[in-house]
Amino acid sequence: MKYLVKSFLGCMLSVMLLMKMTVPVWAAPEIDAPSYVLIEASTGQIILDKNASERRSPASITKIMTLLVIFDEIKKGNVKLSDEIVTSEYAKSMGGSQVFLETGEVQTLDTIIKCIAVASGNDASVAAAEHIAGSEAEFVNKMNARAQEMGLTDTHFVDCCGLSESDDHYTSAMDVAIMSKELITEYPQIFDYSTIWMEDIVHETAKGSETFTLSSTNKLLKQYQYATGLKTGSTDKAKYCLAATAHHKDMDLIAVIMGDPDPQKRFTDAALLLEYGFSQCSLYRDSAEIGQKKVPVLGAIEKEIEVKSNGHFTYLNTTGEDVSGITKEVNLPQSVEAPAKEGDKTGEVVYYLNGSKIGSVDIVFAQDVDRATYKDYFLLSFRAFLL
């Protein structure tokens, strides 16, 4: 009997331990920073946030927009990574974090981007701005125009590096997350720079040649295994800020911390947010392809019209629920009436998780089809008669 009791208790303990191991409970982390947000990059979906739309001084995370405009100009063909940038007296005069460029010093745009992304060089930011737009002021106009284009209603810039203490230089955690999303999704080559921990550059000046080591301001690169960037910032007014990116489980997450009073805690808080996101979220992607589909068309010479899906489907599950059970169905009309215009919606691919709709992708016409006229029918009949 004693043996049976021990065996029973042993089995119960094993079951309890197994349940504890396989069903972890993740609570949202407690973050002291006055403003933060955590989003998934491909969908832009908010996972956690606090005062995310509150306008705050951004310090050097301003440079996220600076980098975005630089890469925009590269894409447009207006500048190249091999461009030689000459440092002006004004660019050299920038205080705060700098890479100590000398007046007249020449560096390639590629090196200047490293100086901005790795060491947060204010002098490098202004040098790039002057090269691209002729002056920092004109470059800042480009930054504000880009912010407006993205619908960032809580953002306005006065300079390109974040040194300004002006009340007119502001953004929000949510807007920073959006511009970070734009930067890493449109220009993933930014990771070639933002993941650098240390790298040497060479100053070639009238004083001679001197090696200078760029050291990343982003401690998260060493503290969090999935970190990929992105930008730090701090001033007396802004306190300590961080826009942190990380890649894991085929997902890119962005955590933005603003106004943290503790320089180290912004990194631990960002890591907590990112770890929570990776533990709770899973990303489902599907091409939404429907194959060679045609729909009967009425009132036209053509008997059928080709249709196609309008893009791919992405779903971020934030509940920890298994997404392997996602199903989809293709909904198309039995026929359509002419005229039909390419790109117009005619159906949809609908996605379900456990019977509940979680999203859809439009099915659109892949060609134009005009409505037939009497003349069209006459010509069609005449050709049939000749045959």
Side-chain angles (χ1 to χ4, degrees):
M1 174 63 75
K2 191 179 291 186
Y3 174 79
L4 289 175
V5 171
K6 285 184 177 180
S7 297
F8 175 77
L9 291 174
C11 289
M12 288 298 294
L13 180 61
S14 297
V15 170
M16 290 170 67
L17 287 172
L18 183 62
M19 289 177 67
K20 187 175 181 180
M21 290 170 58
T22 57
V23 190
V25 177
W26 289 90
E30 293 185 8
I31 307 298
D32 294 330
S35 177
Y36 69 82
V37 67
L38 173 68
I39 71 167
E40 192 279 319
S42 66
T43 61
Q45 187 170 331
I46 298 171
I47 302 169
L48 289 173
D49 70 302
K50 171 186 170 184
N51 300 326
S53 295
E54 183 178 86
R55 293 180 177 181
R56 304 189 67 86
S57 180
S60 278
I61 55 175
T62 295
K63 295 183 179 84
I64 295 170
M65 182 60 82
T66 302
L67 289 165
L68 180 56
V69 172
I70 290 172
F71 280 105
D72 282 344
E73 294 298 312
I74 293 172
K75 182 179 179 180
K76 293 173 185 175
N78 295 333
V79 293
K80 302 186 297 295
L81 288 175
S82 59
D83 279 5
E84 293 187 336
I85 296 178
V86 182
T87 305
S88 70
E89 180 67 32
Y90 174 65
K92 177 188 181 299
S93 72
M94 292 298 109
S97 57
Q98 53 189 303
V99 294
F100 303 101
L101 298 171
E102 291 290 337
T103 303
E105 180 177 344
V106 178
Q107 296 284 359
T108 64
L109 180 57
D110 179 60
T111 298
I112 289 293
I113 292 173
K114 288 178 186 175
C115 293
I116 298 170
V118 179
S120 195
N122 296 323
D123 45 359
S125 298
V126 173
E130 292 177 330
H131 177 78
I132 288 170
S135 69
E136 182 185 19
E138 283 303 311
F139 187 86
V140 171
N141 287 338
K142 288 180 178 288
M143 293 168 66
N144 286 321
R146 191 65 160 92
Q148 188 174 18
E149 175 189 312
M150 288 190 288
L152 306 184
T153 56
D154 294 311
T155 293
H156 184 266
F157 299 109
V158 170
D159 67 25
C160 69
C161 54
L163 279 172
S164 176
E165 296 280 302
S166 169
D167 289 339
D168 291 330
H169 189 86
Y170 57 82
T171 187
S172 66
M174 190 66 244
D175 281 4
V176 171
I178 293 170
M179 65 180 84
S180 300
K181 171 186 181 297
E182 184 81 356
L183 179 59
I184 70 172
T185 56
E186 288 295 314
Y187 306 110
Q189 61 266 39
I190 186 60
F191 294 132
D192 296 336
Y193 303 92
S194 65
T195 53
I196 295 172
W197 178 245
M198 281 188 176
E199 186 168 315
D200 289 342
I201 64 168
V202 177
H203 289 300
E204 296 281 359
T205 67
K207 300 175 184 177
S209 179
E210 182 181 353
T211 299
F212 179 80
T213 301
L214 302 176
S215 298
S216 178
T217 59
N218 186 4
K219 303 278 191 290
L220 211 61
L221 292 177
K222 288 295 184 181
Q223 295 175 359
Y224 187 63
Q225 60 180 325
Y226 306 126
T228 56
L230 183 63
K231 193 70 199 70
T232 63
S234 64
T235 62
D236 289 342
K237 182 176 183 178
K239 304 304 180 187
Y240 297 95
C241 306
L242 174 65
T245 57
H247 181 83
H248 181 47
K249 292 172 61 177
D250 202 28
M251 285 188 295
D252 286 292
L253 299 185
I254 300 169
V256 179
I257 303 283
M258 296 193 73
D260 201 313
D262 187 319
Q264 178 56 39
K265 202 164 187 305
R266 59 179 162 170
F267 297 115
T268 56
D269 283 349
L272 285 171
L273 287 171
L274 293 166
E275 193 62 23
Y276 174 83
F278 287 128
S279 69
Q280 290 297 103
C281 301
S282 54
L283 192 63
Y284 174 87
R285 294 186 180 92
D286 186 69
S287 65
E289 288 296 327
I290 59 174
Q292 293 287 334
K293 293 284 186 181
K294 294 183 178 182
V295 177
V297 58
L298 307 176
I301 297 299
E302 295 87 344
K303 294 184 178 179
E304 293 180 316
I305 183 171
E306 292 184 5
V307 297
K308 63 180 181 180
S309 60
N310 189 33
H312 62 275
F313 178 74
T314 306
Y315 171 70
L316 182 71
N317 178 38
T318 60
T319 65
E321 191 175 5
D322 183 14
V323 296
S324 61
I326 290 179
T327 59
K328 66 179 180 181
E329 64 179 34
V330 177
N331 294 332
L332 282 169
Q334 292 185 336
S335 63
V336 297
E337 285 277 351
K341 185 179 180 182
E342 182 179 355
D344 282 354
K345 179 180 176 180
T346 186
E348 57 183 10
V349 184
V350 184
Y351 291 81
Y352 299 91
L353 177 59
N354 297 328
S356 298
K357 181 179 177 180
I358 56 173
S360 63
V361 174
D362 288 347
I363 298 174
V364 299
F365 296 119
Q367 61 183 111
D368 292 333
V369 171
D370 295 326
R371 188 167 184 82
T373 63
Y374 289 114
K375 181 180 178 181
D376 294 323
Y377 287 123
F378 173 77
L379 290 174
L380 186 65
S381 300
F382 183 69
R383 290 194 193 100
F385 174 75
L386 291 178
L387 293 175

